[in-house]
Amino acid sequence: GQQLNQSPQSMFIQEGEDVSMNCTSSSIFNTWLWYKQDPGEGPVLLIALYKAGELTSNGRLTAQFGITRKDSFLNISASIPSDVGIYFCAGRKAHRDDKIIFGKGTRLHILP
Amino acid sequence: GAVVSQHPSWVICKSGTSVKIECRSLDFQATTMFWYRQFPKQSLMLMATSNEGSKATYEQGVEKDKFLINHASLTLSTLTVTSAHPEDSSFYICSARREALSTIYFGEGSWLTVV
């Protein structure tokens, strides 16, 4: 089935560094969602975006809904050890469309 | 706190037996819930959409007779893995759509190990 192209697949950074990851698709989406998944747990919603161009922050996290509606990015500023995990982007083609499509995830590692 | 809860968190069963996993929306009603399967280091794979009061909609390649889904109330959906085999061992995750916020929340996941 259709997937979102999420990059990078993995990142190794130093604590305190900023992080940026993105998702792109050949299709237009009406909703972009960013989730974080810790090992052995379900994904937790970080940020939801509903409008093209929308820029939303949640603490040190900032995400934007691309103006073309085909992409979104997530930035994490001043990374800390608890930011380690897998970040998934997800898109929905219509507000009433319950089915969401996931990217393959970006695995974030923080070097000691 | 969690708005969607799964139970059990982990279960070990013998090959050939059936296992039921519950998914509950804790403080909202969910007419639609979703069941996913996740293999190690991979993304979530949608198995089926659970619709309250009607039959579930299964994704291509998912055996509906093997993965029975029941959505008997607006706050509960169950996934039953029938005649489980070792290859069914996986991490199963449910999610529920919160209508008012147009957002989907996930449960904590359930680890199934078939021995």
Side-chain angles (χ1 to χ4, degrees):
Chain A
Q2 179 177 359
Q3 281 200 321
L4 301 178
N5 298 312
Q6 186 172 350
S7 65
Q9 283 190 333
S10 62
M11 303 181 71
F12 292 82
I13 62 168
Q14 298 282 351
E15 183 179 348
E17 286 186 19
D18 296 342
V19 174
S20 184
M21 59 191 78
N22 70 84
C23 269
T24 61
S25 173
S26 57
S27 299
I28 289 174
F29 287 90
N30 281 345
T31 303
W32 285 95
L33 305 167
W34 285 93
Y35 292 88
K36 181 188 179 212
Q37 185 177 27
D38 290 325
E41 297 183 15
V44 174
L45 180 66
L46 299 174
I47 293 177
L49 303 161
Y50 302 107
K51 191 176 175 182
E54 180 181 353
L55 183 71
T56 297
S57 294
N58 177 7
R60 292 178 296 106
L61 279 62
T62 302
Q64 183 159 32
F65 193 140
I67 204 73
T68 65
R69 295 165 65 189
K70 293 182 178 181
D71 64 310
S72 176
F73 71 74
L74 173 71
N75 287 341
I76 305 172
S77 62
S79 58
I80 59 177
S82 61
D83 291 335
V84 167
I86 305 175
Y87 293 81
F88 289 103
C89 65
R92 286 165 58 190
K93 290 187 177 179
H95 286 305
R96 296 296 300 174
D97 180 0
D98 293 313
K99 191 179 295 187
I100 61 174
I101 302 168
F102 282 87
K104 291 189 175 182
T106 294
R107 189 176 292 268
L108 180 62
H109 304 267
I110 296 182
L111 301 171
Chain B
V3 295
V4 176
S5 179
Q6 275 182 248
H7 178 80
S9 299
W10 58 269
V11 57
I12 302 173
C13 72
K14 289 185 178 180
S15 187
T17 62
S18 295
V19 177
K20 182 187 288 187
I21 301 171
E22 293 184 346
C23 179
R24 294 182 185 273
S25 56
L26 298 182
D27 61 353
F28 65 96
Q29 293 181 332
T31 55
T32 307
M33 292 184 175
F34 307 89
W35 286 96
Y36 299 83
R37 185 173 180 177
Q38 187 177 33
F39 293 103
K41 298 186 178 181
Q42 293 190 22
S43 188
L44 294 89
M45 182 188 77
L46 179 65
M47 298 174 64
T49 301
S50 173
N51 306 296
E52 189 268 336
S54 64
K55 291 183 180 180
T57 305
Y58 289 82
E59 294 300 302
Q60 192 174 8
V62 178
E63 299 175 58
K64 61 180 180 182
D65 294 329
K66 177 152 187 73
F67 298 101
L68 299 179
I69 291 173
N70 184 277
H71 195 151
S73 79
L74 287 171
T75 59
L76 174 65
S77 175
T78 59
L79 168 69
T80 301
V81 182
T82 63
S83 187
H85 291 282
E87 56 265 31
D88 298 326
S89 300
S90 188
F91 190 50
Y92 292 88
I93 308 174
C94 72
S95 68
R97 181 171 181 256
R98 188 164 191 167
E99 305 258 355
L101 299 178
S102 192
T103 301
I104 294 175
Y105 294 92
F106 285 85
E108 309 97 326
S110 299
W111 286 99
L112 170 63
T113 301
V114 185
V115 297

